[in-house]
């Protein structure tokens, strides 16, 4: 009983010191601080959940829980081990989470808030982006029909110099014929990826990192799809993949793969990626224009409808009704 009483006193003292008293004394600044911390922890949870480091993070949380128990119950041996681990925990975390820390810093650097001009495109370049998208879509549709494998990478803010260094530098204008020639089966450059930088073909035959995620069901998809997802996991690039076995067109972005993309959807994806808000405003204006034209055509159709009704009414007035005919016949009989 004395041991249970001591345990209860330790738990009560811990809760009162670290939960009850801070809650009673909490002000507006403390509430804002807690909300910001909760948001950061939620984003970290979402970030680590789909990665291998997520299981490592669970292990660290378990060790932290043991350290709390050691402090609450004043366990000497466990407290000693926790202190030894805490002295090198910071450096261990850096080594263990090095890829995830790098990815997180890259995501922060690619935020639109820090790069306001990255989400839009000047009007003078909108025509060039539209030309690049049309040529790419034309080439992709042709290669999909012929079942020619292709891997086209559109570089974003994160430069892919680590991957293009091993490739063949081309620096050519984007055209449908050029893309098809690069991925032609007899071409020496068809095995690797083609990188488009600043709306020009920068390099070909580039080797990309393959995705090692087990939560994605690649099924019968080959290494092109794994490489497409892999490069989008470490950068903000957009990748278009044409399957050599099935001819299905896929798009990879932000570590996700969208399968069976049609021609119109591919054009919208490419333009939204390259032009951003400029294309969305342009598309919205065109949709509004088409909507107004549709309303105008409907108005013209309605304006013709009353004329037809009036003609029907006129014809109805000229033809006597059945009752009028019966009454006229009765009057003639009476006379």
């Amino acid at each position: 009983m004395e041991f249970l009483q001591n345990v209860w006193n330790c738990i009560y003292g811990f809760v009162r010191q670290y939960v009850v008293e801070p809650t009673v004394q909490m002000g507006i600044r403390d509430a804002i601080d807690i909300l910001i911390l909760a948001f950061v922890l939620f984003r970290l949870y979402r970030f680590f959940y789909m990665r291998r480091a997520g299981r490592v993070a669970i292990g660290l949380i378990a060790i932290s829980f043991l350290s709390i128990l050691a402090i609450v119950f004043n366990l000497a041996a466990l407290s000693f081990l926790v202190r030894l681990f805490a002295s090198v925990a910071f450096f261990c975390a850096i080594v263990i989470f090095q890829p995830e820390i790098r990815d997180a810093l890259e995501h922060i650097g690619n935020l639109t808030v820090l790069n306001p001009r990255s989400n839009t495109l000047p009007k003078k370049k909108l025509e060039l982006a539209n030309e690049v998208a049309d040529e790419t879509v034309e080439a992709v549709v042709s290669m999909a029909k012929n079942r020619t494998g292709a891997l086209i990478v559109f570089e974003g803010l994160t430069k892919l110099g680590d991957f293009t260094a091993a490739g063949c530098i081309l620096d050519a204008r984007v055209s449908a014929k050029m893309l098809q020639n690069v991925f032609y089966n007899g071409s020496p450059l068809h095995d690797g990826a083609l990188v488009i930088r600043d709306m020009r073909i920068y390099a070909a035959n580039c080797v990309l990192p393959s995705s090692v995620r087990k939560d994605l069901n690649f099924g019968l998809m080959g290494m092109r799809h794994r490489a497409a997802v892999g490069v989008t996991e470490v950068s903000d690039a957009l990748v278009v993949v044409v399957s050599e076995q099935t001819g299905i067109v896929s798009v990879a972005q932000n570590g996700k793969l969208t399968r069976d993309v049609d021609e119109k959807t591919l054009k919208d994806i490419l333009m939204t990626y390259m032009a951003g808000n400029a294309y969305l405003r342009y598309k919205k204006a065109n949709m509004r224009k088409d909507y107004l034209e549709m309303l105008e055509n409907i108005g013209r159709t309605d304006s013709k409808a009353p004329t037809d009704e009036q003609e029907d009414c006129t014809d109805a007035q000229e033809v006597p009704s059945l009752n009028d005919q019966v009454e006229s016949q009765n009057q003639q009989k009476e006379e």
Side-chain angles (χ1 to χ4, degrees), residues 132 170-174 195-203:
V132 172
L170 298 179
D171 192 18
R173 186 178 67 87
V174 178
V195 177
I196 295 179
R197 174 184 293 179
D198 296 331
M199 289 180 283
R200 289 182 62 86
I201 298 176
Y202 179 73

Side-chain angles (χ1 to χ4, degrees), residues 95-333:
V95 173
I96 293 172
F97 297 108
Q98 186 271 335
E100 285 72 21
I101 293 174
R102 179 177 177 179
D103 292 346
L105 294 176
E106 287 181 350
H107 282 294
I108 294 174
N110 292 332
L111 290 176
T112 306
V113 178
L114 302 178
N115 303 277
R117 295 184 179 180
S118 64
N119 200 30
T120 187
L121 193 71
K123 291 184 179 180
K124 60 182 180 180
K125 291 187 177 182
L126 186 60
E127 184 177 353
L128 176 60
N130 187 57
E131 179 184 350
V132 172
D134 288 337
E135 295 290 338
T136 304
V137 171
E138 180 182 349
V140 168
V141 171
S142 177
M143 289 186 291
K145 290 180 180 179
N146 299 327
R147 294 193 177 183
T148 302
L151 185 60
I152 305 173
V153 182
F154 287 82
E155 187 182 65
L157 293 176
T158 303
K159 299 303 179 184
L160 304 176
D162 297 341
F163 311 125
T164 58
C168 179
I169 305 300
L170 298 179
D171 192 18
R173 186 178 67 87
V174 178
S175 65
K177 293 182 179 180
M178 185 68 177
L179 295 175
Q180 294 179 64
N181 287 335
V182 169
F183 292 106
Y184 176 67
N185 289 332
S187 171
L189 304 177
H190 77 281
D191 281 335
L194 182 142
V195 177
I196 295 179
R197 174 184 293 179
D198 296 331
M199 289 180 283
R200 289 182 62 86
I201 298 176
Y202 179 73
N205 197 23
C206 300
V207 180
L208 304 180
S210 297
S211 176
V212 294
R213 289 170 54 183
K214 297 181 180 180
D215 58 307
L216 293 178
N217 184 18
F218 288 99
L220 299 178
M221 292 180 285
M223 293 303 297
R224 283 191 179 91
H225 297 83
R226 292 182 179 274
V229 176
V231 73
T232 60
E233 291 175 348
V234 298
S235 68
D236 60 338
L238 182 139
V239 186
V240 181
V241 190
V242 180
S243 174
E244 187 174 357
Q245 287 77 20
T246 61
I248 294 177
V249 180
S250 306
V251 176
Q253 189 176 16
N254 297 327
K256 299 178 181 179
L257 186 68
T258 304
R259 297 273 290 164
D260 200 8
V261 179
D262 58 16
E263 182 177 352
K264 183 178 181 301
T265 305
L266 180 60
K267 172 68 179 296
D268 288 337
I269 292 174
L270 293 178
M271 286 300 296
T272 303
Y273 181 78
M274 290 187 293
N277 290 332
Y279 174 68
L280 295 178
R281 289 193 297 266
Y282 171 78
K283 187 176 181 181
K284 184 178 180 180
N286 286 344
M287 292 177 62
R288 179 177 176 81
K289 182 180 178 181
D290 295 339
Y291 178 71
L292 293 176
E293 290 180 356
M294 182 185 67
L295 291 179
E296 185 177 356
N297 293 332
I298 293 175
R300 291 175 181 175
T301 305
D302 293 339
S303 63
K304 294 179 180 180
T307 304
D308 298 335
E309 293 178 358
Q310 291 176 0
E311 291 178 356
D312 294 338
C313 292
T314 304
D315 296 338
Q317 291 176 0
E318 293 177 354
V319 179
S321 63
L322 180 62
N323 294 331
D324 295 339
Q325 293 178 2
V326 173
E327 290 180 359
S328 62
Q329 291 177 1
N330 292 333
Q331 289 178 0
Q332 290 177 1
K333 290 180 180 180

Side-chain angles (χ1 to χ4, degrees), residues 62-78:
I63 293 176
S64 301
F65 181 73
L66 288 177
S67 65
I68 294 175
L69 291 179
I71 295 173
V72 172
F73 296 108
N74 195 19
L75 304 177
L78 189 58

